[in-house]
Amino acid sequence: MSLNLEYYDWLIVEDGFHPEKNREMESIFSLGNGKMGQRGNFEEAYSGDSLQGSYIAGVYYPDKTRVGWWKNGYPDYFAKVINAINWIGIDILIDGEKLDLAKCEIIDFRRTLNMQEGNLERKFSVKLPNGNIVSVQSIRFLSIVDTSAGAIKYSIKAENFEGEISLIPYLDLDVKNEDANYNEVFWEEEHQEISDETAMILGKTKKLDFRVCSAMHSEIYKNGSQQEIPAENIKKPKYVATTYKVLLKQNEELSLYKYVINNSSLDHPLSDIKKNTSSQLKYVVKKGFEQMLREHKEAWAAKWRESDIKIEGDTAAQQGIRFNIFHLYQTYTGEDERLNIGPKGFTGEKYGGSTYWDTEAYALPFYMSTAGKEVARNLLLYRYRHLGKAIENAEKLGFKNGAALYPMVTMNGEECHNEWEITFEEIHRNGAIAYAIFNYIRHTGDTGYMADFGLEVLIGISRFWSQRISYSGDKQKYVMLGVTGPNEYENNVNNNWYTNTIAVWTLEYTLQNLKSLKKNHPEKYTALIEKLHFNPEKETSRWEDIIQNMYFPWSPEFKVFLQQDGYLDKEDVTVKDLDPDERPLNQHWSWDRILRSPFIKQADVLQGIYFFEDKYDTETIKRHFRFYESRTVHESSLSACVHAILAARINNMNLSYELYLRTSRLDLDDYNREVKEGLHITSMAGTWMTIVEGFGGMRVKNGMLSFYPQIPEKWVSYSFNVRFRGNLLNILVNEHIIITNKTGDKIKVLVFDKAREIEKESGISIHISSMNPAG
């Protein structure tokens, strides 16, 4: 389904209401501030198709796994990202008739997401069945300054009548998840109270006893003047509301200001949560809507100054990258190391959990370069804090001696994914966590992280690889059996090349850092091996043997690493042979047919080529890219960005640009026809990677930033900022590459492999066509 959204640099605009696309639009127009989020639902009642969604960061429910069989080690539950209190609700009655866009004649409708300023606006005019015509304008935002607060201004104008308007702002905790097993209700009410202008509900989740305290305050204005109107308070189980009735003449306008605070027990002790919520509500009400909105806009402006990517000459591309950056910052701010980046963020229920390997492989580079070292460090510390749980996860599967298997999906470090081929087999996730430590230290220069935290994680992961790998007498090599690689259109395969590769790399990297720690910090080395009961001689000798004798599937005919054993036994067809009407395959083919096909859901071998690019020459990269790109259907949101980066690396800019548009507009154009379930948040970081690492050719080499810039044919210019070891650089690419050292001391960078020094608050300019381009 095409969403047909208009192209703007800073706006996402739905012009005209299309009920059949409403769920998709609710995802697109979601808001968040890192602590909570809200789908783009209507404030007023809507009886048409909708997915109500309000989410509080870190609050979840362990929904009992529902399967017809059981296996040892299988997770007991699936962590649901649960729908929380409906705080945006405002029922509207016009002469007793409820405003409901599903039951009105819609005269005009426009919904606008302002990404520059961080707010959602709707304007519409409707004719009710009784003939009354009203115009409505609403604007709402979730403050990134007061991160417990949301605010709404809802205005209604009588166009052709005089009559009574009832405004009923409410809080409703009687909410459900569509994907709940057994139709479970997740919330219980512990407390409610209401006065003339203020109401509160304290809710508790079942099982884990998270508390969320929500309070609202409402003010009524008529033609711009505040009104003192008697209020009728309504109390029902899990529901509090206030009714305001106002006589409105033709062409008069009524406005409701609704302020809401949502606080969770993650941030407030239970003894203080009601008191803190009340005081915060008073604080934002005293500020007022306009001041809150102004501060919110200023905070977004500060974020954009450091993270914006500017593209001249291509509005579709510009809109796409800003949409992606906007939702990344709405989802995660890095201020709380207990939180992470869920694949749907605050935009839908699907997947559950807050953490996948997506964070380490895709999101970390974005936050590391745009938000800085501390934010990136918190993402790594999140995994360090869960190391004990990772060891428990491995123990459940029979591993011993401190082996660590990080979960595929988690909220608290415990595995909670409920598909066996993922839970037990998609173990390459361990490698992404090890790689993230390397990537972070390489970029930030924070070598202290390795000694203090990183090496402990690496040893746990390496112990897992050592036990998971077995020796084949037939091959006279070490092998890894029964795995699922990044390409989830294959299950239970032997010797997935990517998994074998990243396992061996992890062992090498761990050994390297053990030696370094022993040499440079012998006291820390001794303390670490004692803490972990680590036997250096016994354990590392096996690791070294695996490194020297690991098996990697290879095709002499095609001169490529094979995705796994037996891959060439599959039918020799490519994506161009597919019927377009059968795409996406996962919505048209049986799982059996998909598993037998040669088609690849996402980068698998190419994921390894991307991570370890320095090991391969350009011809090797070209050969692998051509072989696997022709067989990849890109039906994972994580796929196109890796292919786009490698396409730029081999100087295929037309294809790289095509893949960039696919990843940047994946949700805006609903490529995979699943936006109704929520957005693809973690893959959005891949859009940033495509421009910076793909078109900009940015790498870290020998402790320096390196650039091999290219520019898509359609673009006039593009620019981006990068934080690197205390410096903030701006990179502008047109016919030249212009690098400006905005903050920090003198820095040395590589441009087309030639070292250049840039003084503080100065810059360099190099003509691109005079240099040797990438590839």
Side-chain angles (χ1 to χ4, degrees):
M1 178 187 293
S2 174
L3 301 185
N4 294 320
L5 294 166
E6 301 175 40
Y7 294 162
Y8 294 93
D9 285 346
W10 283 106
L11 305 176
I12 308 297
V13 177
E14 177 192 14
D15 199 357
F17 182 52
H18 306 282
E20 74 281 1
K21 300 179 183 179
N22 188 49
R23 287 196 180 216
E24 287 83 355
M25 294 304 178
E26 288 174 337
S27 298
I28 295 291
F29 290 94
S30 296
L31 293 176
N33 66 3
K35 284 292 187 180
M36 58 180 168
Q38 172 67 51
R39 282 173 59 83
N41 308 118
F42 298 161
E43 291 88 2
E44 72 279 354
Y46 181 66
S47 60
D49 187 41
S50 173
L51 177 62
Q52 177 67 38
S54 169
Y55 311 101
I56 307 296
V59 175
Y60 68 100
Y61 178 82
D63 205 13
K64 183 173 175 56
T65 300
R66 187 175 185 175
V67 293
W69 45 265
W70 203 264
K71 286 181 169 52
N72 289 335
Y74 202 79
D76 292 327
Y77 68 90
F78 182 65
K80 298 287 188 188
V81 177
I82 56 176
N83 190 11
I85 194 164
N86 178 2
W87 63 271
I88 66 170
I90 305 170
D91 282 341
I92 310 293
L93 301 180
I94 302 165
D95 282 338
E97 187 164 13
K98 183 173 284 189
L99 176 60
D100 180 348
L101 267 64
K103 299 177 180 179
C104 298
E105 177 189 336
I106 297 176
I107 299 169
D108 56 62
F109 179 97
R110 188 175 178 90
R111 180 162 33 181
T112 304
L113 182 66
N114 187 322
M115 300 179 289
Q116 188 172 24
E117 299 180 352
N119 60 66
L120 174 62
E121 183 179 42
R122 263 190 320 139
K123 295 180 180 180
F124 63 87
S125 298
V126 296
K127 184 176 182 180
L128 280 74
N130 63 13
N132 291 339
I133 297 175
V134 295
S135 295
V136 173
Q137 179 176 0
S138 71
I139 182 169
R140 75 172 182 246
F141 61 96
L142 285 169
S143 174
I144 61 171
V145 177
D146 304 298
T147 55
S148 296
I152 303 169
K153 179 183 178 183
Y154 193 97
S155 301
I156 183 166
K157 181 180 180 182
E159 296 288 357
N160 68 339
F161 68 97
E162 177 179 325
E164 183 182 73
I165 307 293
S166 297
L167 302 174
I168 311 171
Y170 61 84
L171 299 174
D172 184 7
L173 190 61
D174 189 17
V175 294
K176 297 181 180 180
N177 270 45
E178 282 195 354
D179 65 353
N181 290 333
Y182 313 101
N183 295 314
E184 183 95 43
V185 175
F186 302 137
W187 290 97
E188 297 173 342
E189 183 181 66
E190 283 199 329
H191 174 80
Q192 67 168 233
E193 61 185 68
I194 188 166
S195 63
D196 287 347
E197 295 176 336
T198 304
M200 177 185 290
I201 288 182
L202 176 63
K204 181 182 77 170
T205 64
K206 295 181 179 179
K207 291 188 179 180
L208 297 182
D209 295 342
F210 289 109
R211 267 71 168 198
V212 172
C213 188
S214 302
M216 72 172 182
H217 174 92
S218 302
E219 296 175 352
I220 304 294
Y221 284 71
K222 183 178 178 181
N223 299 326
S225 298
Q226 188 168 3
Q227 306 292 296
E228 297 295 333
I229 299 171
E232 176 188 345
N233 296 328
I234 304 170
K235 293 180 69 174
K236 296 187 292 187
K238 299 184 179 180
Y239 178 93
V240 289
T242 303
T243 300
Y244 302 94
K245 295 181 179 180
V246 182
L247 184 64
L248 208 60
K249 296 180 181 179
Q250 185 174 352
N251 293 323
E252 288 188 328
E253 184 177 73
L254 196 61
S255 296
L256 169 70
Y257 291 86
K258 182 177 181 180
Y259 305 88
V260 176
I261 298 293
N262 292 310
N263 278 325
S264 86
S265 53
L266 285 169
D267 298 318
H268 300 268
L270 185 58
S271 58
D272 296 334
I273 193 168
K274 289 189 290 183
K275 179 185 67 176
N276 292 350
T277 301
S278 293
S279 63
Q280 288 176 354
L281 183 62
K282 291 176 183 176
Y283 175 73
V284 298
V285 170
K286 185 177 180 181
K287 273 190 182 183
F289 187 88
E290 295 304 327
Q291 182 179 340
M292 284 183 68
L293 182 58
R294 182 170 61 253
E295 291 175 356
H296 177 72
K297 290 178 180 178
E298 290 169 355
W300 267 109
K303 283 188 180 292
W304 285 115
R305 277 194 296 272
E306 295 194 357
S307 64
D308 189 23
I309 290 182
K310 298 177 182 178
I311 298 170
E312 185 181 1
D314 190 342
T315 305
Q318 177 68 87
Q319 184 185 50
I321 185 60
R322 282 182 172 149
F323 180 74
N324 285 251
I325 293 172
F326 178 68
H327 276 290
L328 283 163
Y329 272 120
Q330 288 201 127
T331 303
Y332 182 77
T333 63
E335 296 167 2
D336 189 338
E337 67 182 48
R338 299 169 300 173
L339 302 179
N340 211 278
I341 306 140
K344 293 294 182 191
F346 297 120
T347 71
E349 300 173 2
K350 189 179 178 183
Y351 293 133
S354 73
T355 315
Y356 287 58
W357 69 286
D358 312 14
T359 291
E360 285 75 24
Y362 298 88
L364 177 70
F366 168 78
Y367 289 102
M368 192 160 55
S369 293
T370 63
K373 184 177 81 171
E374 292 308 315
V375 172
R377 202 173 201 261
N378 276 346
L379 287 174
L380 268 62
L381 285 171
Y382 178 90
R383 294 293 195 178
Y384 176 77
R385 308 294 185 214
H386 288 173
L387 177 58
K389 288 288 188 181
I391 292 171
E392 289 179 18
N393 293 334
E395 288 173 347
K396 290 175 183 178
L397 302 186
F399 295 90
K400 302 175 181 178
N401 190 33
L405 175 59
Y406 277 91
M408 187 67 182
V409 181
T410 194
M411 292 294 290
N412 64 355
E414 188 174 32
E415 179 64 76
C416 62
H417 199 283
N418 59 1
E419 296 176 75
W420 68 268
E421 68 275 14
I422 307 300
T423 303
F424 299 146
E425 295 191 344
E426 200 163 339
I427 54 178
H428 67 82
R429 59 194 187 249
N430 253 10
I433 291 162
Y435 186 84
I437 296 170
F438 161 76
N439 203 11
Y440 167 79
I441 294 172
R442 175 177 63 173
H443 188 95
T444 65
D446 183 9
T447 55
Y449 184 84
M450 179 62 72
D452 294 338
F453 306 105
L455 190 51
E456 191 173 342
V457 172
L458 291 175
I459 289 171
I461 292 173
S462 292
R463 282 172 157 173
F464 172 82
W465 289 132
S466 179
Q467 295 175 46
R468 186 60 170 79
I469 291 166
S470 56
Y471 188 76
S472 166
D474 178 62
K475 287 184 168 62
Q476 295 290 294
K477 291 281 187 181
Y478 287 97
V479 297
M480 192 154 11
L481 309 178
V483 303
T484 297
N487 171 27
E488 293 171 342
Y489 284 178
E490 300 276 5
N491 297 153
N492 200 34
V493 301
N494 294 336
N495 294 307
N496 171 260
W497 179 84
Y498 171 74
T499 306
N500 286 15
T501 296
I502 204 158
V504 167
W505 174 86
T506 303
L507 295 173
E508 291 175 326
Y509 187 54
T510 306
L511 284 171
Q512 170 192 328
N513 282 284
L514 276 168
K515 292 174 183 175
S516 176
L517 187 67
K518 184 177 182 180
K519 177 181 178 183
N520 299 311
H521 302 282
E523 71 292 344
K524 288 186 176 183
Y525 173 82
T526 300
L528 184 63
I529 63 172
E530 288 178 356
K531 176 183 178 181
L532 301 181
H533 305 290
F534 185 69
N535 186 327
E537 183 176 341
K538 181 180 177 181
E539 294 193 55
T540 61
S541 63
R542 176 172 167 83
W543 298 359
E544 289 169 345
D545 197 34
I546 291 171
I547 292 166
Q548 294 299 319
N549 295 287
M550 191 68 185
Y551 168 74
F552 299 98
W554 168 261
S555 167
E557 177 185 359
F558 294 101
K559 292 183 174 56
V560 295
F561 302 115
L562 290 178
Q563 184 174 266
Q564 74 263 349
D565 283 351
Y567 181 75
L568 291 182
D569 293 336
K570 293 173 177 285
E571 186 179 6
D572 187 16
V573 291
T574 59
V575 172
K576 64 179 174 56
D577 300 312
L578 284 169
D579 181 349
D581 291 338
E582 295 186 351
R583 304 283 302 278
L585 299 184
N586 58 22
Q587 296 176 26
H588 293 88
W589 285 14
S590 70
W591 196 243
D592 167 74
R593 186 179 179 189
I594 287 174
L595 291 177
R596 289 186 286 106
S597 82
F599 298 116
I600 298 169
K601 181 183 180 185
Q602 71 185 79
D604 195 304
V605 170
L606 293 185
Q607 182 76 42
I609 298 287
Y610 162 69
F611 273 170
F612 307 117
E613 176 190 282
D614 289 348
K615 295 185 176 183
Y616 310 106
D617 62 29
T618 299
E619 286 307 310
T620 299
I621 296 172
K622 281 182 179 178
R623 192 165 59 247
H624 283 82
F625 182 84
R626 289 165 181 164
F627 183 86
Y628 284 107
E629 165 62 21
S630 67
R631 292 161 172 81
T632 302
V633 290
H634 297 298
E635 289 174 9
S636 164
S637 63
L638 301 174
S639 184
C641 64
V642 171
H643 285 241
I645 293 167
L646 291 177
R649 169 66 178 80
I650 62 174
N651 206 24
N652 188 342
M653 282 297 289
N654 289 336
L655 179 56
S656 183
Y657 172 74
E658 177 186 323
L659 290 165
Y660 163 78
L661 282 184
R662 183 183 180 99
T663 190
S664 69
R665 301 191 61 85
L666 178 75
D667 292 321
L668 289 174
D669 294 337
D670 200 8
Y671 272 90
N672 289 339
R673 303 174 195 174
E674 57 187 14
V675 169
K676 62 186 178 182
E677 299 170 337
L679 305 179
H680 298 84
I681 300 298
T682 45
S683 73
M684 290 177 170
T687 305
W688 180 92
M689 289 162 56
T690 299
I691 292 179
V692 175
E693 299 182 15
F695 304 159
M698 190 185 85
R699 306 289 189 272
V700 179
K701 297 181 178 180
N702 301 320
M704 295 181 286
L705 282 180
S706 171
F707 299 93
Y708 262 78
Q710 301 177 82
I711 186 166
E713 187 175 286
K714 190 175 181 179
W715 295 5
V716 177
S717 69
Y718 64 96
S719 65
F720 56 89
N721 293 329
V722 174
R723 291 185 175 278
F724 184 77
R725 302 188 183 187
N727 292 81
L728 177 63
L729 304 179
N730 176 261
I731 293 85
L732 169 65
V733 179
N734 43 43
E735 293 180 349
H736 298 75
I737 176 171
I738 302 166
I739 305 176
T740 304
N741 185 4
K742 298 177 72 174
T743 62
D745 296 330
K746 179 172 65 175
I747 186 172
K748 184 179 290 187
V749 300
L750 297 172
V751 182
F752 299 116
D753 283 335
K754 184 176 180 180
R756 310 272 184 165
E757 284 193 346
I758 310 175
E759 298 291 335
K760 182 179 181 180
E761 297 180 355
S762 185
I764 59 170
S765 178
I766 299 165
H767 199 273
I768 290 177
S769 63
S770 65
M771 308 299 290
N772 181 31

